[in-house]
Amino acid sequence: MEQKQSIQGFKGHSRLPNFAIPKRYDLHLKLDLSSACAFSGVVEIHVSIVEETKFLILNALELDVHEVLFTSSHGQLYRPCDVVLDGDDESLVLVFDQALGVGEGVLGIEFSAVLNAHLKGFYKCTYMDGGEKKNMAVTQFEPVDARRCFPCWDEPALKATFKIAVDVPPELTALSNMPIINEKLDANVKTVYFEESPIMSTYLVAVVVGVFDYIEDTTSDGVLVRAYCPVGKSDKGEFALNVAVKTLDLFSKYFSTPYPLPKLDMVAVPEFSGGAMENYGLITYRENELLYDPLHSTTARKQTMAIVVAHEVAHQWFGNLVTMEWWSDLWLNEGFATWVSYMATDILFPEWKIWAQFLQQTTGGLVKDALEQSHPIQVEIDHARSILEVFDDISYKKGSAVIRMLQGYLGDDILQKSLSSYIKRFSGKNAKTEDLWSVLSEESGVKVSEMMDGWTKEKGYPVISVKAKEHILEFEQTQFLSSGSHGDGKWIVPITFSLGSYERRRNFLLETKSREVNISDLVNSSDNDLKDKEKYDEQLWVKVNIEQSGFYRVNYEDKLAARLRKAIEHNSLEATDKFGILDDAYALCETCEQSLSSLLSLMDAYRKEEEYIVVTKLIDVCYNVINISSEAIPDLANELKKFFISLLLFPAEKLGWESVPGENHFGALLRAEILQALVTFGHDKTQKDALDRFQTLLNDRNTPLLSADTRGAAYIAVMRNASSSNREGFESLLNFYREANTVQEKERILRFLASSPDPDTILEVLNFFLSEEVRDQDIIYGLFGISSECRETAWRWLKENWDLILTKYGAGMLLTHFVKDIVTPLCSNEKADEVEEFFASRAHPAISMTLEQSIAQVRIKARWVEHMRQEQSLEGQVRELAGKK
């Protein structure tokens, strides 16, 4: 009885008790890739018992445990009298009659399991070999799925070394974190032995077994880097290999610490739930994140690929060498890897102006963090299955944007020096956010934690309201919430602003709720003509948050907003600032702080805009306004589309459909975005051109009339015209998908297949997404592209198919996309109530936060719809703008 009570005492905890610490794992896995798709294994864990105990508690999930034996350092054998596998706590509790004394010992466990079907733990995936489907196996352990492969202390702070061996069919390649030291062939089994790893967390252990071709290169430090690709496609790994080699060299210098392993492998696997995973020395990727095909990959994909490779390589230091102590500090991994991947990409490809595009990351963070249902960067984790949900826009995007803001405040040199010291000090160890702030404070002399705690320990961020009275600027901070509620957050905000010119600028820390700043010296240092009152009013614009380097929004009083509009029309501002003004204005409009009329007037100032990041922000705002207006002011939807088309025609006519020799990177990026927008908004000529070019493509798959960048626009045009009575284009596109032999083409078609406005067509497309013809991992592309006209159709479909979806995809990363991409586009309180009611009996920790945030976004839009309907002057303004040339 006493023993049972003791076991009960360990239930329901999110962390393991710490009376035993693992030091080394000897792991031997035996793989059966026949129809059984199973594996068995033996693990010998060298542990240090730090407190006398009758219990050993570690993690295990969906494993069958057969034999358990503990051997003390004195050779004494202990067999447990009870072995309890607890599925709720994902734990293995071993109960011993006799207490295990303090000291060293080896815990041996024999176990077996079926290869996972939901792309986590040790999972099965398939590849085609000469028309035949064959099985392979891959691991995905982050965050807490090493326990599905072998019993272990599956927490990031419980680091150990790993010596791994794998039994595989002789024709397959086996890879792990470390180089192979030996192979033995015995009949139909090949045993592959790997070198012992340095100390690392369980979530970074990896094994891949399959058939690959590879290419290789070596860094200047002699590290062997390989890109493993599907057979016959190794040349498609060249771009990623090149980026990996250069970033390894770059980070070794930047962090003043060499890459710690003798090799780095990158593997393209055919089924993968995320984009890529930074396993120590063995990075796994979706195929389309590693394989670059100049004919079939878009310019945008090439750019993303460089950032993703740099991100995963950066993790070898930030995450693998120095690891967060617990998942509550996940941002130390993901925020830093995101920020430093942009830094590396900027060094390798300066012509891409990637820091300007980083603003898309910042905006993603600002949008998510404006929800009352957001969470702090440093977040409490109560349940293992809820960890996955914090791999989100807060950890990645807000995390990286806050580092970018700190970089702007401290300076590049101090930040680099501090990060080098941090990596050296915590190499092979675990760290918390406070450890990083401590190192930064030592190096900079600034009390970094005082400044940064508000940004990482509290959720949310401020909107800075700016007013001008004579030569005084008034700044006031309040918490920005998209719901229109008033939060009580307060931050130490690094404010930057320019006055009429980038030559006249000022920086200060806003440490209180409000502050007045005298700008007489800036005005007096200005040109003489600015003393003229009229010219002063028009030309002396005030732009706060220069280059959008700070993680906050700005709300200008009307007269300052009017001056900025003029500055945009006169092209006086940098692209980053034009982006920021529009982004902030849209956010203020959505929260009903500003009218749609004022937003449309501002958008009109961007008519002659050509800068990539500004035009794409303009397009995003157009999409969002169209989606909401179809609910709020359906009678004006077509007029709004006419206005938006007129805004985009200037850059569209300059770019056309075909690239020109010597065209820069942004021409190709922008052409794709603009053509897709014009087709979506129903621009007749672009739609007709798109359909004509699609017909040419059907007759000639290699036609130069549709490049990788412009095909998306043609696919949208086909689907916008598809209906039950007009199926020809839709069926042609489906056949094109079935015949496509590149992952790039399949991804592209899936992205646009659901853009039809016809409900019957959309239902057919959604059912196609669930079919065997679409890999589970690829569902994310299709769901994201569902047309706004069919949002309610998609919601009904989700309800009808929920049980099937849950069974097919499991409660993991892919499931969150169904919730996010189908629930969030709804925009009425009635629908929000419906969603709440439906999921009340279907709660799951893997989707709870995503669901809460999605419902909140629906209610925010419902409020905006009502506000829009009350705008008196809107109709006249929209009709006037629609008629403007």
Side-chain angles (χ1 to χ4, degrees):
M1 190 66 191
E2 184 184 323
Q3 178 178 296
K4 289 292 180 206
Q5 283 177 334
S6 299
I7 291 178
Q8 287 305 311
F10 297 122
K11 275 196 72 62
H13 296 285
S14 59
R15 305 283 294 266
L16 294 169
N18 56 5
F19 34 65
I21 308 292
K23 298 295 182 186
R24 168 178 150 176
Y25 292 80
D26 284 330
L27 175 65
H28 192 148
L29 295 170
K30 299 172 183 184
L31 197 53
D32 175 5
L33 284 172
S34 67
S35 55
C37 277
F39 66 96
S40 60
V42 179
V43 65
E44 292 190 344
I45 311 171
H46 299 249
V47 294
S48 198
I49 308 290
V50 292
E51 193 181 311
E52 189 175 271
T53 178
K54 285 189 173 184
F55 302 92
L56 285 180
I57 300 167
L58 55 163
N59 295 111
L61 182 61
E62 296 172 359
L63 297 176
D64 292 323
V65 171
H66 307 299
E67 286 288 327
V68 182
L69 181 66
F70 181 81
T71 309
S72 75
S73 56
H74 307 300
Q76 195 170 348
L77 304 181
Y78 299 80
R79 288 187 191 277
C81 59
D82 203 359
V83 175
V84 182
L85 280 160
D86 187 319
D88 292 336
D89 284 350
E90 307 185 358
S91 65
L92 170 62
V93 181
L94 306 175
V95 186
F96 296 89
D97 283 330
Q98 199 180 340
L100 308 179
V102 172
E104 308 301 309
V106 177
L107 175 64
I109 305 174
E110 288 183 25
F111 57 92
S112 63
V114 173
L115 286 169
N116 185 276
H118 294 138
L119 311 182
K120 55 192 174 186
F122 200 12
Y123 69 86
K124 175 195 94 160
C125 58
T126 57
Y127 65 99
M128 297 306 292
D129 181 15
E132 187 187 347
K133 196 181 260 193
K134 291 189 174 176
N135 296 325
M136 57 179 283
V138 181
T139 56
Q140 170 57 38
F141 291 165
E142 189 180 33
V144 284
D145 287 317
R147 63 191 66 178
R148 291 181 194 268
C149 181
F150 59 100
C152 56
W153 276 262
D154 199 11
E155 294 184 5
L158 298 171
K159 288 187 167 186
T161 62
F162 292 82
K163 194 159 191 191
I164 295 172
V166 194
D167 287 1
V168 298
E171 70 276 11
L172 299 186
T173 299
L175 303 168
S176 187
N177 307 83
M178 298 299 289
I180 294 169
I181 45 170
N182 196 10
E183 285 188 7
K184 285 183 184 167
L185 197 57
D186 180 11
N188 290 325
V189 175
K190 176 171 69 174
T191 304
V192 183
Y193 300 87
F194 298 94
E195 282 179 28
E196 186 172 346
S197 76
I199 191 166
M200 65 179 182
S201 304
T202 47
Y203 79 87
L204 294 166
V205 174
V207 173
V208 176
V209 179
V211 177
F212 306 98
D213 283 344
Y214 68 83
I215 50 172
E216 65 182 35
D217 198 357
T218 309
T219 68
S220 58
D221 290 341
V223 176
L224 180 65
V225 186
R226 284 179 175 172
Y228 284 85
C229 307
V231 173
K233 295 187 177 179
S234 59
D235 59 315
K236 305 296 186 285
E238 279 179 17
F239 178 71
L241 180 67
N242 186 29
V243 171
V245 168
K246 287 178 176 172
T247 48
L248 275 171
D249 282 338
L250 194 156
F251 292 141
S252 294
K253 292 187 182 73
Y254 187 83
F255 296 126
S256 307
T257 301
Y259 172 69
L261 304 186
K263 62 92 176 174
L264 176 64
D265 292 332
M266 303 189 295
V267 191
V269 298
E271 293 175 70
F272 195 77
S273 64
M277 173 62 208
E278 69 269 16
N279 312 297
Y280 219 175
L282 179 61
I283 303 171
T284 43
Y285 295 83
R286 278 181 179 236
E287 289 182 345
N288 55 6
E289 298 285 4
L290 188 76
L291 309 179
Y292 174 70
D293 182 333
L295 274 179
H296 295 103
S297 298
T298 61
T299 308
R301 172 56 78 189
K302 181 179 186 180
Q303 183 177 281
T304 303
M305 197 178 288
I307 295 167
V308 168
V309 171
H311 180 108
E312 303 309 328
V313 172
H315 270 310
Q316 307 302 307
W317 285 264
F318 250 102
N320 300 7
L321 186 59
V322 180
T323 311
M324 78 255 139
E325 197 270 336
W326 178 241
W327 298 104
S328 49
D329 278 316
L330 173 69
W331 86 286
L332 284 179
N333 281 17
E334 300 303 349
F336 270 88
T338 302
W339 166 77
V340 87
S341 68
Y342 275 78
M343 183 199 78
T345 304
D346 187 52
I347 291 167
L348 298 185
F349 304 99
E351 69 280 9
W352 291 358
K353 299 181 185 172
I354 210 72
W355 278 123
Q357 295 183 63
F358 179 77
L359 294 184
Q360 292 158 345
Q361 298 287 322
T362 307
T363 294
L366 289 168
V367 168
K368 187 62 66 75
D369 208 28
L371 300 176
E372 289 171 77
Q373 296 73 15
S374 180
H375 63 83
I377 283 178
Q378 292 175 264
V379 60
E380 288 305 311
I381 304 286
D382 298 319
H383 191 286
R385 292 299 130 198
S386 63
I387 295 169
L388 206 54
E389 284 203 296
V390 301
F391 284 77
D392 66 355
D393 289 348
I394 301 299
S395 298
Y396 285 73
K397 296 180 179 180
K398 181 182 181 181
S400 57
V402 161
I403 297 156
R404 178 79 171 145
M405 178 168 71
L406 187 61
Q407 178 188 21
Y409 182 71
L410 294 177
D412 295 355
D413 292 348
I414 284 176
L415 188 62
Q416 178 179 359
K417 204 172 164 196
S418 302
L419 294 179
S420 295
S421 300
Y422 169 79
I423 293 285
K424 283 197 179 106
R425 188 174 303 179
F426 293 97
S427 178
K429 302 188 184 79
N430 296 77
K432 297 180 179 179
T433 300
E434 291 72 21
D435 296 320
L436 178 62
W437 294 162
S438 174
V439 174
L440 279 160
S441 299
E442 285 170 29
E443 294 287 353
S444 66
V446 173
K447 291 178 179 171
V448 174
S449 64
E450 270 181 34
M451 177 181 163
M452 297 306 293
D453 277 355
W455 297 99
T456 62
K457 290 185 174 176
E458 307 297 328
K459 63 184 179 184
Y461 59 88
V463 54
I464 309 296
S465 298
V466 188
K467 294 177 180 169
K469 285 183 184 167
E470 295 300 323
H471 291 168
I472 301 288
L473 285 181
E474 294 177 4
F475 296 84
E476 183 180 1
Q477 64 161 306
T478 50
Q479 184 171 355
F480 183 81
L481 289 167
S482 295
S483 63
S485 302
H486 296 286
D488 53 5
K490 193 167 107 319
W491 292 264
I492 296 176
V493 190
I495 301 282
T496 56
F497 68 89
S498 279
L499 195 67
S501 154
Y502 287 102
E503 303 299 310
R504 293 187 290 274
R505 62 181 286 169
R506 177 78 58 84
N507 308 337
F508 69 94
L509 276 185
L510 179 62
E511 299 185 64
T512 51
K513 184 169 174 58
S514 60
R515 178 168 165 182
E516 292 187 347
V517 176
N518 190 317
I519 53 170
S520 306
D521 56 330
L522 290 177
V523 175
N524 293 335
S525 72
S526 65
D527 305 332
N528 285 332
D529 8 330
L530 292 186
K531 310 258 172 80
D532 175 299
K533 183 80 175 84
E534 200 175 316
K535 283 191 176 174
Y536 169 89
D537 280 350
E538 185 174 305
Q539 291 181 30
L540 214 58
W541 46 263
V542 177
K543 172 62 179 69
V544 179
N545 196 10
I546 300 168
E547 294 189 343
Q548 299 304 107
S549 61
F551 193 78
Y552 55 88
R553 295 203 180 279
V554 183
N555 188 3
Y556 300 92
E557 66 174 340
D558 289 349
K559 69 179 179 187
L560 293 179
R563 288 184 203 169
L564 282 173
R565 257 199 313 276
K566 280 274 191 296
I568 291 162
E569 285 169 356
H570 294 152
N571 207 20
S572 307
L573 299 174
E574 293 287 344
T576 46
D577 288 319
K578 287 185 282 189
F579 175 105
I581 292 163
L582 183 56
D583 191 42
D584 287 348
Y586 172 77
L588 289 161
C589 184
E590 184 186 47
T591 196
C592 306
E593 285 285 317
Q594 290 182 6
S595 65
L596 179 60
S597 298
S598 68
L599 176 64
L600 296 176
S601 296
L602 174 64
M603 291 167 77
D604 194 43
Y606 288 83
R607 273 183 185 277
K608 299 287 186 200
E609 190 53 61
E610 296 178 72
E611 289 272 7
Y612 171 69
I613 60 155
V614 187
V615 179
T616 50
K617 172 47 61 181
L618 188 62
I619 289 170
D620 282 345
V621 172
C622 291
Y623 283 139
N624 291 340
V625 172
I626 290 286
N627 291 348
I628 205 84
S629 64
S630 62
E631 183 86 14
I633 43 172
D635 295 348
L636 292 175
N638 283 335
E639 301 297 309
L640 270 173
K641 285 179 184 174
K642 276 186 198 167
F643 168 48
F644 294 158
I645 287 167
S646 74
L647 290 181
L648 299 176
L649 283 178
F650 176 73
E653 284 165 358
K654 288 188 94 168
L655 287 167
W657 279 84
E658 275 105 29
S659 60
V660 294
E663 178 177 80
N664 70 18
H665 180 68
F666 300 105
L669 284 175
L670 191 52
R671 178 178 294 107
E673 300 266 2
I674 286 183
L675 289 173
Q676 286 170 28
L678 288 174
V679 168
T680 305
F681 299 151
H683 183 239
D684 290 340
K685 184 177 185 312
T686 310
Q687 279 211 351
K688 185 181 179 307
D689 284 352
L691 291 170
D692 289 347
R693 286 165 188 266
F694 181 69
Q695 281 306 316
T696 309
L697 177 68
L698 291 180
N699 298 326
D700 173 12
R701 299 296 153 95
N702 298 315
T703 177
L705 290 180
L706 273 182
S707 68
D709 290 312
T710 57
R711 284 186 182 192
Y715 299 164
I716 295 172
V718 168
M719 294 312 299
R720 295 298 294 172
N721 284 279
S723 66
S724 315
S725 56
N726 179 20
R727 295 180 52 81
E728 191 184 340
F730 170 37
E731 286 176 357
S732 297
L733 194 52
L734 269 184
N735 288 333
F736 201 46
Y737 172 86
R738 288 170 179 137
E739 292 166 13
N741 60 2
T742 67
V743 289
Q744 293 86 357
E745 195 61 65
K746 284 188 181 290
E747 176 199 334
R748 181 163 35 246
I749 295 168
L750 289 174
R751 280 186 185 278
F752 304 114
L753 209 51
S755 49
S756 169
D758 178 62
D760 291 339
T761 305
I762 285 297
L763 281 175
E764 194 175 335
V765 168
L766 291 171
N767 289 328
F768 173 73
F769 289 162
L770 295 191
S771 74
E772 290 300 309
E773 293 192 69
V774 177
R775 287 188 186 274
D776 288 358
Q777 63 163 16
D778 291 341
I779 189 72
I780 63 171
Y781 306 128
L783 293 174
F784 186 71
I786 298 170
S787 67
S788 62
E789 293 93 342
C790 292
R791 55 191 165 212
E792 295 192 11
T793 304
W795 165 235
R796 284 194 299 275
W797 173 86
L798 181 68
K799 286 189 290 182
E800 287 164 14
N801 290 279
W802 180 254
D803 293 340
L804 167 67
I805 288 164
L806 189 57
T807 304
K808 182 174 168 63
Y809 297 93
M813 198 179 283
L814 295 176
L815 192 66
T816 61
H817 288 272
F818 282 91
V819 175
K820 191 168 50 182
D821 294 338
I822 292 179
V823 172
T824 310
L826 301 169
C827 47
S828 72
N829 281 316
E830 294 73 29
K831 287 294 165 200
D833 293 342
E834 223 178 90
V835 174
E836 277 181 344
E837 189 184 331
F838 178 78
F839 281 106
S841 59
R842 296 168 177 84
H844 195 286
I847 58 165
S848 58
M849 187 167 67
T850 303
L851 181 63
E852 216 178 278
Q853 291 174 344
S854 297
I855 293 168
Q857 285 170 293
V858 176
R859 295 199 187 282
I860 286 160
K861 279 184 279 186
R863 180 171 175 264
W864 191 17
V865 164
E866 289 309 313
H867 191 262
M868 221 181 261
R869 286 172 180 163
Q870 308 308 316
E871 278 195 48
Q872 301 297 320
S873 60
L874 191 56
E875 184 174 350
Q877 187 201 20
V878 170
R879 295 197 191 284
E880 183 190 330
L881 288 170
K884 198 170 171 184
K885 296 291 181 209

